[in-house]
Amino acid sequence: MSPAPRIPRRALVLGALAVLGVVLLAAAPLALNNYWLRVMTTVFMYAIVTQGLNVIVGLAGYHAFGNAVFFGFGAYGCGVAMTLGAPFPLALVAAVAVSAAVAGVIGWPILRLRGHYFAIATVALNLAAIQLVIQVGGITGGAQGLPLPLSDLPPGPLYRAIYLVMLAGMVASTLIVAFILTRPFGYALRAIRDGERAAGVMGIDTTASKVAAWAISAGITGFAGGVWAYWITFIEPASAFDPAIGVKAYMMLILGGMGTVIGPVLGAFVLEFLSTLVWGGFVTAHQIIFGVLIVAICLVAPNGMLVAGRTLIQRWRSRHGAA
């Protein structure tokens, strides 16, 4: 028998730190007030959306600027299911399934587009989804919106439960990206990103791989939308399909690092905390200051903060070793 492969010490340390971080975040509601509980829940939500975006953008190289459309489909999938009598866990499964199914169906024609044509098509898809929800008013509530059944839990325990569900979603979506990166499917996506024609020549079914990636991306994003709908308790087309959700997630992905495992989570934490702190300290000029900070971060770390951090560590090690 061949000996079992040894796990590198670095991987063990990083894994232990990740587990410790998740445990601390899970226990954080015991010490957080309602304001910071809401901030942290929002951070987790955007981390999930950014990880979903990471699958199609960071791994496959297809820039889906309108990927937030699946956030809206997830919200309405959960909302409609709950109004029909489904409990929240089952409605959340419906949110994921609806979003993934929509991406799988429309992915076959749309993913044949490339570059800016695909990006424009995803934006148009978001606009079309708003009109679809409005027209199907009997099920979705139309332009008047859709109220969700209220939970039996008191507000405090309910918001802590939503916090934990969002945290679980962030951890699960991060593990999904990490798993994909270690599988042949992940190598196929990165081959498509680096050169789609070359990937096709190597025997990769590029269309099927892209559709599968978009369906996974949509399912992850739909999960966040479903939990958000239950959290808000009332959804309407403009907020559920808000393009700003996708734009913000795209910024988080760029800041953290495309195609990395932790980068989207890091970007979500940094961007959302920066936004909260700047807004709290500079109410009248927070957008200007926030924009300047984002530009500065992009100039210092054009490939994302995670890559910039690794580069700094490597330089320090090389200088330390040389010394």
Side-chain angles (χ1 to χ4, degrees), residues 26 52 129 148 165 197 222 249 297 320:
L148 275 69
V165 173
R197 291 184 179 180
I297 293 174
H320 185 73

Side-chain angles (χ1 to χ4, degrees), residues 63-105:
H63 296 272
F65 290 118
N67 214 54
V69 65
F70 302 115
F71 184 90
F73 277 120
Y76 272 95
C78 179
V80 171
M82 291 193 70
T83 56
L84 294 177
F88 172 63
L90 185 59
L92 196 55
V93 173
V96 175
V98 167
S99 300
V102 171
V105 171

